[in-house]
Amino acid sequence: MQYPHIPHGNWRSLPVFFFHVAVLCLSLGYLSAQSLDEDQDRIEKKYAMPFSDVVRLNYWSVFERGNEFAQELGISRERLDALMDKHAWQLKPPPGLAFQNTLDSDRAKTLKRVTVTSKEGVESGAFVDSSGKLAKPGAFAEIRCDNGKISITVTCPDPMPGQLKTLTPLMDDRPEKEAAFWDGDFKKMKNFLYKGMSQNQETKWALALTKPDKSVLLDECVVVYLTPVSVGQDWSNFELVNLASDPEELKSQLKPRPASENRIFMEGAYYFLAVNPNGALLDVFYDPWDGGTMSPAWKSKTKVTTARSEQGWKVTMEIPWDSLRPTVGKDSVWGVDISRIRRQAESPAELSRSVETTLVHCDVDKITGGFRIAHDKSSGNKKAVKLPSLDLAAVELIDWSKATRIDRLTDRSGRISDRTQVRLMHEAGDDVDDLMMLCRADITTKKESLVARYMGNFERVEALMADVTLRDQMRAFQSPVRGDEIMQICGLEPGPQVGRLKDAIEEAILEGEIEDTHEAALAYLRRIKGSILADSG
């Protein structure tokens, strides 16, 4: 491409110069759009479906990180974002995200709001299509809430209900291990690991798996988005009170933190639930950190009821407050956005949405889990709860309303790295969950910027440690060169010198100085044995 020459000293040439610049910018924009179209055509040809459905099936329906999904498509993350922006009506995130921590904005004050105490439902109004006009056929919803749940009923009229596409069955027909793997359900996956298979065999099994070819999102379905907007009252400062030397005195000094002083730390996070006419449910948590991760491992415990008729179909979802995080307390506010993906046989998907976000406000004391412990301790109701132990099993681990002082986990060079987080798992062993829980409760700063930083660091560490395969490997990690081999090579009898050599090898692996292989560890042993044995006398 010929770039324009910049004129020197001839002002009459400037209009011509700027004309060339404008043409160049338009050309670059055209080429960019053209290459974007080429990427889309290639991806759609590879997966044999529209790009929006490629995203729904291969990113939104499985445990997947956005950056890795872009690599799978053979494009950069920036290119993936551009393609998703191109299909914004089909793929845009919930509008409720715009109201996180901004309930005082003029726009938020105009939204419909349903409360527990009102005991009345709020109607969404008819859904609209991409042009902003009423969708035909569309859908409409009613939203209610009480002290235990949010109830959402969506009615989907259709002139040809018999032709609606519903391939995903009510019961998941995948093998349990495979389903747990694709859902990212590491807790469940732990039950299947190393059952007659070595680590290498497990890895080969995972690499040989193909992604699922079915999803509720590829059916006729209703999708409900739940976005935390305001945390509400926070009792978390009571959760460890009985570990203090004088808990009674401490209880008299503590008060729940009011909703006005709390914020959503994990900005950009939300949940969504998709249901088809069969009653099949896909419930997913979106974590915005590190490029964005979809996690179908979230189990919402939602009660789903569907009904079909000659006029279409209807679904009611009852979503327990207790399944949502941040833990729902008094004055917690959630944004609800709803869409319908209409599918008939092989016809393209037609998506319609509720016109605006509806706010669901829990305006009563909502005391469950760890908050029930805290509330009962503060009110002196000793019969209602057992004295907590260090494991605090009744307190949920993942609670964004709490923060932690996990700050700057660094290696020897001062860099923050996954390796330092792996070391935490290795050295903490089976106590790592208790350690992480205690860290969550250890927050005394009132500086909002510090709280946000601590919270972000904590959640990154917790996300890494959620990988139960990695955690199990680190807890069971040992030097690839075993003690008897060390004794044979170094001519040693059993004793502390063998342990020192073994520790040195493990240290080198954890620090990334050598690879975690027998050959590398053996070579490292031969290199260091003289100096270590000399130092130990």
Side-chain angles (χ1 to χ4, degrees):
M1 179 177 290
Q2 184 74 31
Y3 290 91
H5 174 69
I6 301 176
H8 293 280
N10 186 356
W11 63 268
R12 291 186 179 87
S13 301
L14 286 176
V16 175
F17 168 72
F18 286 120
F19 171 77
H20 282 297
V21 169
V23 170
L24 174 61
C25 292
L26 289 172
S27 300
L28 290 174
Y30 170 75
L31 291 173
S32 177
Q34 187 180 42
S35 61
L36 203 63
D37 290 340
E38 290 173 354
D39 281 338
Q40 178 179 326
D41 291 343
R42 175 181 58 78
I43 292 168
E44 291 182 340
K45 185 176 294 185
K46 175 182 176 181
Y47 290 91
M49 63 180 68
F51 176 78
S52 55
D53 283 344
V54 174
V55 174
R56 290 181 179 121
L57 177 64
N58 295 281
Y59 183 17
W60 290 2
S61 298
V62 294
F63 183 79
E64 182 65 278
R65 295 179 175 87
N67 294 341
E68 293 174 1
F69 177 57
Q71 292 176 8
E72 178 185 324
L73 298 181
I75 57 178
S76 67
R77 180 54 199 262
E78 292 74 21
R79 189 67 106 187
L80 172 61
D81 291 339
L83 279 170
M84 292 180 70
D85 287 341
K86 181 182 176 184
H87 298 268
W89 178 253
Q90 294 279 343
L91 301 176
K92 71 178 179 179
L97 288 172
F99 305 106
Q100 282 187 333
N101 300 316
T102 60
L103 266 183
D104 293 333
S105 67
D106 292 338
R107 179 73 183 89
K109 292 175 182 178
T110 66
L111 299 177
K112 296 178 181 178
R113 184 179 295 225
V114 58
T115 64
V116 172
T117 56
S118 70
K119 298 182 180 179
E120 296 179 357
V122 169
E123 294 183 354
S124 68
F127 290 11
V128 297
D129 60 22
S130 58
S131 68
K133 298 179 180 179
L134 296 182
K136 296 181 181 179
F140 54 91
E142 182 185 48
I143 303 168
R144 294 177 173 271
C145 65
D146 59 30
N147 200 32
K149 60 185 180 297
I150 302 173
S151 298
I152 300 172
T153 298
V154 185
T155 302
C156 302
D158 205 285
M160 295 179 287
Q163 296 185 25
L164 296 178
K165 182 181 177 182
T166 54
L167 299 181
T168 307
L170 174 61
M171 303 301 294
D172 193 341
D173 55 3
R174 296 175 294 174
E176 284 189 273
K177 183 177 179 180
E178 183 177 335
F181 177 86
W182 287 118
D183 288 350
D185 191 342
F186 302 118
K187 182 177 180 181
K188 189 173 183 180
M189 188 73 184
K190 186 176 182 179
N191 299 325
F192 300 108
L193 289 175
Y194 311 123
K195 306 295 185 184
M197 294 175 68
S198 67
Q199 180 180 330
N200 288 337
Q201 288 172 326
E202 291 283 7
T203 302
K204 290 179 180 178
W205 171 84
L207 292 174
L209 288 177
T210 56
K211 278 189 172 179
D213 59 0
K214 287 187 294 188
S215 169
V216 173
L217 291 174
L218 295 192
D219 292 341
E220 160 80 24
C221 67
V222 164
V223 185
V224 171
Y225 297 89
L226 298 171
T227 305
V229 171
S230 177
V231 171
Q233 199 175 74
D234 180 10
W235 289 83
S236 61
N237 53 348
F238 283 84
E239 291 186 355
L240 299 179
V241 68
N242 271 23
L243 301 179
S245 57
D246 191 349
E248 295 304 321
E249 181 181 353
L250 186 58
K251 280 190 289 187
S252 65
Q253 301 173 23
L254 293 176
K255 294 181 180 179
R257 193 164 55 194
S260 60
E261 296 182 9
N262 296 322
R263 61 177 287 112
I264 305 294
F265 291 111
M266 215 170 186
E267 290 186 338
Y270 60 87
Y271 297 95
F272 76 79
L273 305 99
V275 179
N276 71 6
N278 294 334
L281 171 68
L282 172 67
D283 35 12
V284 176
F285 167 62
Y286 175 73
D287 178 351
W289 292 101
D290 196 25
T293 300
M294 290 291 178
S295 177
W298 172 52
K299 302 305 177 188
S300 64
K301 301 179 183 178
T302 296
K303 179 182 177 182
V304 174
T305 305
T306 59
R308 303 194 201 206
S309 70
E310 294 180 357
Q311 287 74 45
W313 69 287
K314 178 188 291 189
V315 58
T316 297
M317 287 173 264
E318 297 180 355
I319 307 152
W321 287 115
D322 292 349
S323 69
L324 303 175
R325 297 292 179 270
T327 304
V328 176
K330 185 176 182 181
D331 291 326
S332 291
V333 180
W334 288 73
V336 178
D337 297 285
I338 309 171
S339 62
R340 176 192 180 185
I341 303 177
R342 181 174 181 261
R343 295 184 189 268
Q344 284 201 318
E346 301 304 318
S347 300
E350 301 172 13
L351 188 139
S352 56
R353 298 179 180 273
S354 51
V355 176
E356 62 180 6
T357 301
T358 298
L359 298 180
V360 180
H361 180 186
C362 182
D363 58 346
V364 298
D365 281 321
K366 183 73 186 71
I367 308 161
T368 58
F371 293 133
R372 181 174 296 282
I373 292 177
H375 182 271
D376 289 338
K377 284 186 293 193
S378 66
S379 62
N381 185 1
K382 297 181 179 180
K383 293 182 179 180
V385 63
K386 298 178 181 178
L387 293 179
S389 61
L390 275 176
D391 62 5
L392 289 175
V395 181
E396 292 288 351
L397 282 175
I398 304 173
D399 187 340
W400 312 338
S401 64
K402 288 177 261 179
T404 180
R405 287 192 175 195
I406 292 185
D407 188 27
R408 301 194 63 78
L409 287 171
T410 59
D411 58 22
R412 289 176 175 176
S413 66
R415 296 173 300 177
I416 300 173
S417 68
D418 285 352
R419 190 166 63 246
T420 54
Q421 299 167 18
V422 167
R423 172 175 292 283
L424 171 65
M425 281 185 280
H426 172 58
E427 295 183 353
D430 290 334
D431 295 325
V432 69
D433 288 328
D434 291 342
L435 173 63
M436 296 297 281
M437 185 177 292
L438 287 169
C439 287
R440 270 196 184 275
D442 179 25
I443 175 66
T444 56
T445 181
K446 293 185 178 180
K447 290 187 66 175
E448 189 172 290
S449 60
L450 288 179
V451 171
R453 188 179 75 189
Y454 295 153
M455 197 63 200
N457 288 331
F458 182 93
E459 285 162 347
R460 288 183 179 92
V461 175
E462 192 171 56
L464 178 71
M465 298 203 311
D467 187 335
V468 75
T469 305
L470 178 60
R471 289 178 64 173
D472 284 351
Q473 291 173 10
M474 288 304 103
R475 287 172 174 176
F477 170 74
Q478 294 185 29
S479 163
V481 180
R482 309 310 291 264
D484 54 353
E485 195 173 3
I486 292 173
M487 288 187 289
Q488 182 180 357
I489 291 172
C490 300
L492 297 173
E493 296 294 327
Q497 290 178 319
V498 178
R500 292 190 187 98
L501 289 166
K502 194 163 175 280
D503 289 344
I505 295 170
E506 293 176 356
E507 179 82 8
I509 293 172
L510 289 172
E511 286 297 322
E513 296 175 14
I514 63 173
E515 294 182 359
D516 184 11
T517 65
H518 183 266
E519 293 77 11
L522 195 60
Y524 185 74
L525 170 65
R526 297 184 189 280
R527 190 166 73 246
I528 65 167
K529 66 176 183 175
S531 60
I532 290 183
L533 293 177
D535 290 342
S536 61

